[in-house]
Amino acid sequence: MPTTVSIVEDNDQLRGTLARVIGRAEGFQCLSQYGTAEAALEALPRERPEVVLMDINLPGMNGVECVRKLKQLVPEAQVMMLTAYEDTENIFASLAAGAAGYMLKRTPRNEILQAIQE
């Protein structure tokens, strides 16, 4: 069975690119994609993805707070934070909230897929 992945990213272009990369990769299924934390928190408890790619800087509720709430609702989901910058304060807060790790948005596609698999 493929690894199911959901994406929470407010940048439409990046979200679409990630969804295509994941959807085309063998062994992966892009289950869903959301532009806000609020929309993700409403749907992800029903969908129960194995992995969630989460932007840190989202409009409204930020990614760190979303991880904290999501881990209460779907504790088995592994959350991988996506960030444009190596902002240690936000990265540490994300890990403390329950994220499994983080990647820079500029990470090569094959490395993103490898991180999801791990």
Side-chain angles (χ1 to χ4, degrees):
M1 287 182 58
T3 300
T4 56
V5 182
S6 291
I7 302 165
V8 185
E9 166 63 57
D10 65 321
N11 181 302
D12 294 340
Q13 184 176 359
L14 178 58
R15 189 173 64 242
T17 298
L18 287 168
R20 282 189 300 281
V21 167
I22 293 164
R24 292 177 182 159
E26 188 175 336
F28 297 93
Q29 176 190 359
C30 184
L31 197 58
S32 57
Q33 32 181 322
Y34 301 97
T36 66
E38 292 82 0
L41 286 172
E42 187 176 318
L44 293 177
R46 287 189 311 276
E47 297 174 352
R48 306 203 85 72
E50 295 171 86
V51 178
V52 177
L53 298 181
M54 176 80 64
D55 185 13
I56 287 180
N57 295 314
L58 293 166
M61 182 189 305
N62 69 33
V64 175
E65 184 61 26
C66 186
V67 170
R68 188 173 288 112
K69 292 183 180 202
L70 182 61
K71 290 301 282 185
Q72 292 174 357
L73 298 169
V74 190
E76 71 276 11
Q78 297 298 308
V79 182
M80 183 68 65
M81 302 306 289
L82 294 173
T83 181
Y85 309 103
E86 294 184 59
D87 175 357
T88 54
E89 187 176 313
N90 274 329
I91 292 166
F92 178 78
S94 299
L95 296 173
Y102 76 95
M103 291 180 293
L104 297 176
K105 290 183 180 181
R106 65 179 180 264
T107 300
R109 294 173 183 170
N110 63 324
E111 291 180 30
I112 289 175
L113 292 172
Q114 183 178 354
I116 292 169
Q117 193 169 32
E118 291 174 2

